[in-house]
């Protein structure tokens, strides 16, 4: 198959990790007989410096014309003082809106090889952790009516959803659950919010289309608690923009490895998806060959699976990453601390960004 991929390296460690993602995609293309062509474009701080705009129109046009989009990360202290409408993060909202990607899929997976980094007790996560959070991305309170009264003493933000907005997210939740352990938990605050009650109505009306999926509802405050008390109970969580924002960060933190977690933002399937690691631009380690590229590489696996329908290829990338971890290779962020760190170092298994990319490619080639 031939595919074009827009590349947005962005800022900080972005260029380093995107380079490794591309090398892995190339290794997949070679192994499985595909041709991937890349179109590098600017966004974030890099675009502000080059053309004075965090998301140039040309970048959005190129993304829309490609089959998929890979993003590193944007932002950094250099641009912290620029006015709000010019902030590098504006590029993220602009890309999501412009590409009409309305659902964010965030797997929170605890790799068994890295269980020591999980802040929860072994008796809580002993069974492992593999949750998929499906978050609505372009509606709700982040996009609703907001304002301040003339005297400045009152401010408001509005949570508003339409049935079609809710239905498309919940259908993605149900269909994702069908490919996993067939459990969907819809998280809301239906004891208080009318909008949450609409989510429940929609969920109940489409549940019949997915008879094999066991659906449940949970209030968001309880969900936040259950995620640290008994995370193994969750398979797929589907929820609104703000609740998903908060819960997906909580879920990723309990896996203990921010440098390992991928994400996909998807629309209705007629345009490209947006794939990116969940972490930021890590300015503290930028340009030092210290960044963990595995979250980006796993984001490429999601791209293969969701945008290109290349399940075998995606499985191969994930298996290669697992192989490398099984063999004990670690970047600094996943090498642990104290005696664990000393052991990884003494065994010569502490590696940088490029070497980690090399190891994944070698594991792929050996399969
Ligand atoms: P961050 O995720 O960049 O870094 C948090 C910590 O995790 C740092 O110590 C960093 O070194 C470490 N880390 C992150 N990714 C790593 C990786 N792949 N390998 C090894 N270590 C890694 O979060 P932050 O420091 O809050 O934000 C830095 C900048 O990134 C800010 O400008 C912020 O706005 C931006 N940001 C961008 C995105 C995005 O582009 N999607 C997301 C979050 C933050």
């Amino acid at each position: 198959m031939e595919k074009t991929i827009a590349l947005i390296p962005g800022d900080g460690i972005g260029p380093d990790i995107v380079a490794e993602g591309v090398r892995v995609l190339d290794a997949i293309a070679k192994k499985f007989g595909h041709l991937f062509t890349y179109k590098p474009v600017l966004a974030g701080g890099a675009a502000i410096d080059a053309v004075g705009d965090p998301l140039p129109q040309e970048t959005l046009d190129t993304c829309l014309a490609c089959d998929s989009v890979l993003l590193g990360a944007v932002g950094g202290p250099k641009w912290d003082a620029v006015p709000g409408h010019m902030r590098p993060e504006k590029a993220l909202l602009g890309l999501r809106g412009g590409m009409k990607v309305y659902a964010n899929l965030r797997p929170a997976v605890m790799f068994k090889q890295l269980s020591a980094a999980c802040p929860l007790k072994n008796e809580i996560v002993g069974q492992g952790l593999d949750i998929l959070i499906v978050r609505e991305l372009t509606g709700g309170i982040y996009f609703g009516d907001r304002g301040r009264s003339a005297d400045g003493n009152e401010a408001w933000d509005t949570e508003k959803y339409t049935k079609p907005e809710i239905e498309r997210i919940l259908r993605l939740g149900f269909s994702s659950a069908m490919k996993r352990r067939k459990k969907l938990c819809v998280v809301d605050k239906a004891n208080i919010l009318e909008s949450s009650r609409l989510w429940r109505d929609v969920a109940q009306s489409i549940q019949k289309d997915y008879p094999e999926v066991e659906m449940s509802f949970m209030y968001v405050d309880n969900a936040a608690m259950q995620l640290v008390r008994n995370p193994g109970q969750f398979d797929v969580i589907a929820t609104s923009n703000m609740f998903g924002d908060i819960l997906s960060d909580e879920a990723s933190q309990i896996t203990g490895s921010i440098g390992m977690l991928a994400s996909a933002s998807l629309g209705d399937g007629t345009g490209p998806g947006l794939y990116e690691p969940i972490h930021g631009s890590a300015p503290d380690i930028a340009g030092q060959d210290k960044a963990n590229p595995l979250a980006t590489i796993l984001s490429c696996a999601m791209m293969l699976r969701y945008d290109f329908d290349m399940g075998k290829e995606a499985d191969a990338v994930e298996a290669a990453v697992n192989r490398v971890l099984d063999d004990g290779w670690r970047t600094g962020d996943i090498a642990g601390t104290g005696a664990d760190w000393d052991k990884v170092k003494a065994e010569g298994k502490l590696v940088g960004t490029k070497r980690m990319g090399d190891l994944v490619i070698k594991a792929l080639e050996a399969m």
Side-chain angles (χ1 to χ4, degrees), residues 169-188:
I169 291 299
L170 291 178
R171 285 202 182 275
L172 197 57
F174 275 111
S175 56
S176 302
M178 282 298 291
K179 294 181 199 146
R180 295 170 46 101
R181 300 192 300 278
K182 299 193 171 68
K183 280 176 71 179
L184 172 69
C185 180
V186 179
V187 170
D188 59 31

Side-chain angles (χ1 to χ4, degrees), residues 40-265:
V41 283
L42 290 173
I48 296 173
D49 288 352
V51 295
D53 180 352
L55 182 63
Q57 187 61 40
E58 191 193 334
T59 294
L60 186 55
D61 292 344
T62 304
C63 290
L64 289 170
C66 286
D67 297 307
S68 194
V69 180
L70 179 63
L71 169 71
V74 297
K78 184 176 175 195
W79 304 279
D80 276 353
V82 300
H85 70 285
M86 282 280 290
R87 301 247 340 166
E89 294 77 10
K90 277 275 157 195
L92 298 176
L93 289 182
L95 274 169
R96 288 171 190 163
M99 290 173 63
K100 297 195 171 57
V101 285
Y102 53 76
N104 184 240
L105 268 61
R106 255 202 202 192
V109 180
M110 191 187 78
F111 290 82
K112 63 179 187 316
Q113 305 92 330
L114 307 176
S115 58
C118 174
L120 300 182
K121 288 188 186 140
N122 196 39
E123 62 242 43
I124 296 176
V125 284
Q127 304 306 315
L129 187 64
D130 180 4
I131 303 171
L132 177 69
I133 298 193
V134 179
R135 166 190 167 196
E136 201 287 326
L137 205 55
T138 56
I141 197 164
Y142 291 178
F143 290 85
D145 178 46
R146 75 191 54 176
R148 265 196 200 210
S149 60
D151 63 5
N153 287 333
E154 202 182 349
W156 63 92
D157 299 276
T158 317
E159 174 86 343
K160 185 175 163 190
Y161 273 110
T162 63
K163 278 187 174 178
E165 281 175 326
I166 299 168
E167 183 172 335
R168 61 191 186 181
I169 291 299
L170 291 178
R171 285 202 182 275
L172 197 57
F174 275 111
S175 56
S176 302
M178 282 298 291
K179 294 181 199 146
R180 295 170 46 101
R181 300 192 300 278
K182 299 193 171 68
K183 280 176 71 179
L184 172 69
C185 180
V186 179
V187 170
D188 59 31
K189 191 69 185 166
N191 49 343
I192 300 193
L193 300 177
E194 194 54 39
S195 53
S196 286
R197 290 193 271 272
L198 187 63
W199 275 73
R200 288 201 178 195
D201 290 349
V202 176
Q204 272 153 348
S205 72
I206 62 173
Q207 183 182 16
K208 61 179 182 326
D209 297 340
Y210 308 89
E212 287 174 54
V213 176
E214 180 196 325
M215 183 184 76
S216 61
F217 295 111
M218 193 179 281
Y219 299 142
V220 63
D221 39 351
N222 188 22
M225 193 171 70
Q226 294 299 331
L227 271 174
V228 288
R229 204 167 157 253
N230 178 16
Q233 71 186 283
F234 295 109
D235 177 16
V236 178
I237 291 175
T239 189
S240 63
N241 200 342
M242 182 167 66
F243 295 160
D245 189 6
I246 297 164
L247 292 182
S248 58
D249 266 21
E250 183 189 357
S252 57
Q253 282 306 314
I254 60 180
T255 69
S257 333
I258 194 174
M260 296 296 303
L261 298 177
S263 83
S265 299

Side-chain angles (χ1 to χ4, degrees), residues 256-337:
S257 333
I258 194 174
M260 296 296 303
L261 298 177
S263 83
S265 299
L266 307 176
D268 63 6
T270 57
L274 177 64
Y275 298 83
E276 57 182 311
I278 68 151
H279 58 72
S281 60
D284 51 332
I285 54 167
Q288 300 172 34
D289 194 41
K290 281 187 181 164
N292 182 351
L294 294 179
T296 308
I297 290 169
L298 291 167
S299 300
C300 293
M302 292 186 87
M303 171 190 289
L304 293 166
R305 193 181 304 283
Y306 290 104
D307 266 0
F308 302 163
D309 215 6
M310 296 181 184
K312 270 198 324 283
E313 290 83 339
D315 288 346
V317 174
E318 289 164 1
V321 168
N322 267 298
R323 185 68 226 242
V324 170
L325 294 176
D326 280 343
D327 290 346
W329 300 102
R330 303 285 186 266
T331 44
D333 60 309
I334 52 173
T337 50

